[in-house]
Amino acid sequence: MITDSDLLPIDAIDQLPFTPAEFNARLTACRQAMSERGIDYLVLNSPENIYYLSGFITRGYYVFQALVVTHTSEPILVVRRYEQANVERLSYYRNAAIWQDTDVPAEVLARTLADLGAAGRTVGVDANSVFFPVSAYETLRAALPGSSFLNGSAVLEKSRAIKSPQEIAYIRRAAEALSAGFRAAHEAARPGRTENDVAAAFHHAAISAGSEYMGGPPYIAAGPRTALPHATWAGRRIERGDLVFIEGSGNWKRYSAAMMRTWCMGKPSDSVRRAADTSIAALDAAIAAIKPGVTSGEVDAACRGTVARAGLAHAFIHRTGYSVGVGICPGWGEGWVMDLKEGDSRVLQPGMVFHIVPVLFPEPDVSVGFSATVLVTNAGAEVISDYPREMEL
C-alpha cells in the first residue's frame, strides 16, 4: 500500500494513474480473490474493472473489450485494433490480443483463453457487466466446452471498495472541479433562464476547473420536471417560484465526486421547506453514523429513521447512498461495489467513499434533495464534496 508521500503528481497528464507498486498490489489482491472463489481464469469486461487493474482507458469502450487475468502470467487485454495505441501508451500491461473489425471479438477472446490453457478449467466472467453480452458468453461456452463458468463480477468488490491514498487524492481533486461547477450553476439558476443555461454553466466551470468528462451527465430539472428521476436538461424556462434540482459529478483520472442540491426561485411552500429540512437532517444523520465497524444497514437506518420521524417515509424511495470511485459513463457511482441500504450487513472500513443521497418526493410534481460525498476515516466521516445547503436564493 502506498503512503501519502508516495502520491503521484496530481496534475500530471502523460503518465499512468498509479505506481507499479499499486498496480501490482491490485493484481495480487485480484488473484487472491480468484483463488478464494476457485477461479482459474478471470475475464473482465466493464471499463471500470479494466481501468482499475491496468490503467487502460478509452472512450471506445462501447465496442467489445476484455482483460484476461491468470494466476501466473501477465494480464492480457483483448481490444479492437483501433485501440492498440491506447494499450501501448495508457496501460500498465502491454500484452494484447487484437481483433480486427472483420473479426468476431468474442471468438478472439475464446482463442486467447484456449491458448492460455483455459480448456477444462474454471473461468470467471464479468456476468453483471452490461458490457458482457449474452452472445459473448455463448461464444465462450461453445469454444471451451469442457470449462466451467462462474460469475466473477464480485472478485474486485473488496479491493475497489477501499480506496488507496492516490485514489482519494483523485476524488478530492474531482470534488474541487465539482464545486466550481455548482457555483456556476447556482448563479445561472435564475427566473427567465433555462435548464440548458444551468447545464452549460455547470459544464463550462467544472471542465475549466479541471474535470475530465463526467461519469454521467448532470441531472438538471426545473419546476414540475424535478419529479422526474434522472431528468437531464430539456430547455425548460425557469419561472419564479420554481424549484431547480441539480445532481452532478466532477471527474479526475476517472475518479468521481458527486453532489446534489435543490434551489427555490422564491419562497418555498411549507411542504417543500419541510422536505428540504428533512433531507438535510437525514444527510447529517447519515454522516454522523458513519465510522469504521458500523454496517451499511445502520447508516441507512440513521438516515431513513430521520425521514420517518419527520413523517416523510413515503417520500424516501431510494437507497441512502452508494460507493463512488472509478466513474465511467453511463454512471459515476459504484453501487454494485457497495450500497448503503436497508438491512445490509456489510461493514464500513476506512478508505471507503460514499455519495449520501437522501432525495425525497413529497408531492407528485416535486423532488427535493441535498447530498455529499463522504470518506470513511479512522475517526468517523469526512465530507469531501459540499456546497452551502441553503434552498432559497
Side-chain angles (χ1 to χ4, degrees), residues 43-304:
V43 178
L44 297 172
N45 295 92
S46 77
E48 295 91 347
N49 280 336
I50 292 173
Y51 177 75
Y52 179 81
L53 274 187
S54 72
F56 174 81
I57 187 67
T58 173
R59 267 291 286 120
Y61 59 81
Y62 46 80
V63 298
F64 189 87
Q65 61 181 19
L67 182 70
V68 179
V69 183
T70 74
H71 284 281
T72 57
S73 59
E74 181 177 287
I76 299 176
L77 285 155
V78 180
V79 298
R80 184 185 181 198
R81 171 66 182 86
Y82 190 76
E83 304 291 345
Q84 190 166 358
N86 288 325
V87 176
E88 295 167 355
R89 295 180 59 179
L90 301 179
S91 176
Y92 182 59
Y93 302 111
R94 306 298 173 84
N95 196 7
I98 302 298
W99 59 267
Q100 305 287 343
D101 287 351
T102 52
D103 292 326
V104 176
E107 292 179 355
V108 176
L109 170 61
R111 288 197 296 270
T112 301
L113 285 166
D115 291 344
L116 289 170
R121 308 297 293 276
T122 299
V123 180
V125 294
D126 217 348
N128 295 348
S129 172
V130 298
F131 297 95
F132 183 62
V134 173
S135 60
Y137 178 60
E138 291 176 342
T139 297
L140 292 187
R141 288 179 60 88
L144 301 168
S147 299
S148 299
F149 291 86
L150 300 178
N151 185 351
S153 291
V155 165
L156 292 180
E157 281 184 4
K158 184 177 179 181
S159 296
R160 284 187 55 186
I162 301 173
K163 274 60 183 180
S164 70
Q166 188 76 65
E167 291 176 290
I168 293 169
Y170 291 155
I171 294 171
R172 291 188 193 281
R173 183 65 183 83
E176 293 175 9
L178 176 63
S179 294
F182 265 74
R183 285 193 297 272
H186 200 177
E187 285 296 317
R190 294 292 185 273
R193 306 193 74 181
T194 68
E195 295 168 337
N196 292 42
D197 292 327
V198 178
F202 174 85
H203 278 102
H204 183 270
I207 294 170
S208 295
S211 180
E212 301 171 12
Y213 73 90
M214 293 81 172
Y219 305 123
I220 296 173
R225 294 189 69 251
T226 63
L228 298 175
H230 298 138
T232 54
W233 60 97
R236 186 187 187 279
R237 190 167 299 281
I238 300 168
E239 300 176 0
R240 190 164 298 280
D242 273 353
L243 294 180
V244 175
F245 176 94
I246 176 170
E247 180 184 9
S249 71
N251 194 286
W252 190 264
K253 300 290 187 184
R254 302 319 318 151
Y255 280 80
S256 295
M259 192 158 53
M260 172 195 301
R261 289 293 181 269
T262 310
W263 301 311
C264 186
M265 305 296 105
K267 183 176 177 58
S269 67
D270 290 344
S271 172
V272 168
R273 169 53 68 190
R274 177 184 171 210
D277 290 344
T278 301
S279 177
I280 292 170
L283 175 60
D284 285 337
I287 293 171
I290 288 175
K291 61 182 178 181
V294 304
T295 66
S296 162
E298 287 171 330
V299 177
D300 179 86
C303 182
R304 201 168 299 278

